[in-house]
Amino acid sequence: MNSSIRVHHLYSYTYRNQRPRKLPFHQHPFWQLEIIREGSVTFFDDSGKRTIRSGKSLLIPGGCRHSFAYPERQVRWTTCKFEVSAVDNPGESLVLPEEPLAGAIIKALTACVDQHSVNRATTVFNNLTVALLELLSEQLRPDENPENPFLSRIEAEINGPWGSVFSVRRLAARLGYDPGYLSVKFRQATGHTLKEHIDHLRAARAVEFLEYSSLTVSEIAEVLEFPEVYSFSRFFKRCMGVSPLAWRKHRRPGPRS
């Protein structure tokens, strides 16, 4: 843990929404962690709007303009507000990644709030929050391209281990964006459609597997999240001009998959 990071707990509480409502845009110097427990809320900031669903958590650094809309009656969320020092402020909100350690820290924080023990155990809360910020240190670094604040996160998801995200809808869900909004913003930023970009990288990952791995074609189709091997073969032939088997035979002679 980076001992230079300092956190000072201010306020935590779990709410249950009673009626549809929208908060006005506002900003504050302290940081805010929103943990959605039931239902979903709509989050607004200067980059647009995102739907934050049950099981997701949102970190709002100090100074970021934001607003929330609660369209459902059955919404329950935990909010934690705290001061932070000696940590990068990315200048934009961050939907926490679906990662086991982050999930464990969030679970411990919500338990602390639910048991009304935060005020009696601020050191525990502060240490948990420091651990969370340390875990998110890479994502908290200010984006090199401030005009397109979420492009680096898109690339990080698409190019993750084994390329686990290969559809616009699933990518949007992972990042907490509406699929249509994410696609429009990506095209505005790059001049290309997000689907074209994903397909290009998906085909490139398939080529890597065919040339350098021992996975069968069926196993590659499963890793790249095609519904069945025929769909993968059709996709690969459309992109590369030949079938996966023909590509592997030409590029890496050996036993057929």
Side-chain angles (χ1 to χ4, degrees):
M1 180 181 297
N2 185 348
S3 59
S4 66
I5 297 177
R6 293 289 183 268
V7 168
H8 174 65
H9 174 257
L10 297 174
Y11 177 80
S12 294
Y13 198 75
T14 296
Y15 298 88
R16 186 180 295 277
N17 193 47
Q18 299 298 322
R19 57 184 175 81
R21 62 194 180 102
K22 181 179 179 180
L23 301 179
F25 267 92
H26 60 285
Q27 63 187 74
H28 37 66
F30 52 83
W31 291 44
Q32 182 172 341
L33 177 65
E34 295 291 302
I35 306 167
I36 309 305
R37 313 281 290 276
E38 296 177 26
S40 63
V41 303
T42 302
F43 174 73
F44 302 85
D45 61 9
D46 289 337
S47 67
K49 69 176 182 178
R50 286 171 277 179
T51 299
I52 315 297
R53 305 186 185 282
S54 176
K56 293 282 190 178
S57 299
L58 178 72
L59 182 65
I60 308 171
C64 295
R65 290 180 69 252
H66 61 280
S67 171
F68 287 96
Y70 306 92
E72 301 177 13
R73 294 183 64 85
Q74 296 301 320
V75 180
R76 184 166 66 100
W77 72 98
T78 295
T79 185
C80 303
K81 299 177 181 180
F82 46 93
E83 296 175 336
V84 179
S85 60
V87 68
D88 287 328
N89 186 326
E92 60 171 345
S93 59
L94 172 68
V95 177
L96 270 59
E98 296 178 358
E99 194 268 349
L101 183 53
I105 296 173
I106 291 298
K107 185 176 181 180
L109 285 170
T110 54
C112 192
V113 175
D114 290 347
Q115 294 169 12
H116 306 288
S117 61
V118 173
N119 291 333
R120 297 193 300 271
T122 55
T123 300
V124 174
F125 177 92
N126 292 346
N127 286 341
L128 286 170
T129 307
V130 168
L132 182 64
L133 296 176
E134 178 67 18
L135 182 65
L136 300 173
S137 60
E138 289 296 322
Q139 292 95 319
L140 291 176
R141 291 179 179 173
D143 201 292
E144 294 180 358
N145 187 351
E147 294 182 0
N148 305 303
F150 53 80
L151 284 182
S152 60
R153 284 184 293 183
I154 291 176
E155 294 301 327
E157 289 289 346
I158 294 175
N159 292 299
W162 291 77
S164 59
V165 179
F166 284 114
S167 73
V168 173
R169 184 173 297 278
R170 182 156 178 210
L171 178 62
R174 288 282 292 270
L175 294 174
Y177 286 97
D178 175 80
Y181 173 81
L182 187 65
S183 297
V184 168
K185 296 298 289 185
F186 184 88
R187 185 159 192 168
Q188 289 175 346
T190 67
H192 306 286
T193 70
L194 183 54
K195 183 180 184 305
E196 289 172 345
H197 184 62
I198 290 175
D199 283 351
H200 173 77
L201 294 176
R202 200 179 194 188
R205 186 61 58 89
V207 167
E208 292 177 4
F209 284 138
L210 289 168
E211 293 187 12
Y212 303 112
S213 81
S214 59
L215 296 176
T216 67
V217 171
S218 295
E219 289 170 337
I220 294 172
E222 183 177 356
V223 168
L224 298 184
E225 299 186 347
F226 286 90
E228 32 80 21
V229 69
Y230 174 74
S231 296
F232 169 58
S233 297
R234 185 172 56 182
F235 166 83
F236 190 87
K237 188 170 185 178
R238 173 169 59 83
C239 294
M240 309 305 297
V242 297
S243 69
L245 281 174
W247 183 277
R248 171 167 276 178
K249 181 178 180 180
H250 175 70
R251 299 281 177 159
R252 194 191 67 179
R256 289 178 176 270
S257 299

